[in-house]
Amino acid sequence: MAGEPQADCLFCKIVSGEVPATVVKETETTVAFRDINPQAPVHCLVIPKVHHPDAASLAAAAPDIAADVLREAGEVALQENGDKGYRIVFNTGAGAGQTVFHAHAHVLGGRGFNWPPG
C-alpha cells in the first residue's frame, strides 16, 4: 500500500536504519543522504520517509510531504553547496532513469550543468 514501508525497497530500509547511509539531514518527514554513485561533486538524495513509487504519486497522495521533500532539497543544497547554484532532479519511471522506485530528489551541485540535460 502506498505510504507504507515496503520490505523490498532500498530507501525504506535506509529510513528504518536497516541499510546504512551517510545522512546529511533528517526531519520528521524526510531523510537526505549522499548518493553512493555521485554524478557531481555534490550529489545527495532527499527522500520522504513514507513510501510512494515516484514523485508524481507522492505529490498526488501527499502534497504536504512532496513540499517537504522539495523544501529540504533546497536546504540540503545550501548546506552542501552554499549559494553557488544547484539542480534538483526527480526521475520518474524507468525510461527516465529511475532505478529505485521510492520517490526521491537528486540534489546536484559543485559544477556547471548544461542545458538541455541528458
Side-chain angles (χ1 to χ4, degrees), residues 30-51:
T30 66
V31 177
F33 52 92
R34 297 195 194 291
D35 194 293
I36 62 168
N37 184 27
Q39 302 300 304
V42 172
H43 188 170
C44 296
L45 301 177
V46 180
I47 66 171
K49 289 184 174 179
V50 294
H51 182 91

Side-chain angles (χ1 to χ4, degrees), residues 48-106:
K49 289 184 174 179
V50 294
H51 182 91
H52 292 276
D54 56 46
S57 61
L58 173 64
D64 54 331
I65 296 176
D68 291 349
V69 169
L70 189 56
R71 182 187 62 251
E72 291 307 315
E75 293 291 324
V76 166
L78 289 174
Q79 172 183 308
E80 298 294 311
N81 198 49
D83 63 357
K84 298 180 198 121
Y86 57 93
R87 181 170 284 172
I88 299 172
V89 176
F90 291 92
N91 296 325
T92 301
Q98 185 178 7
T99 58
V100 178
F101 292 89
H102 180 121
H104 59 285
H106 294 261

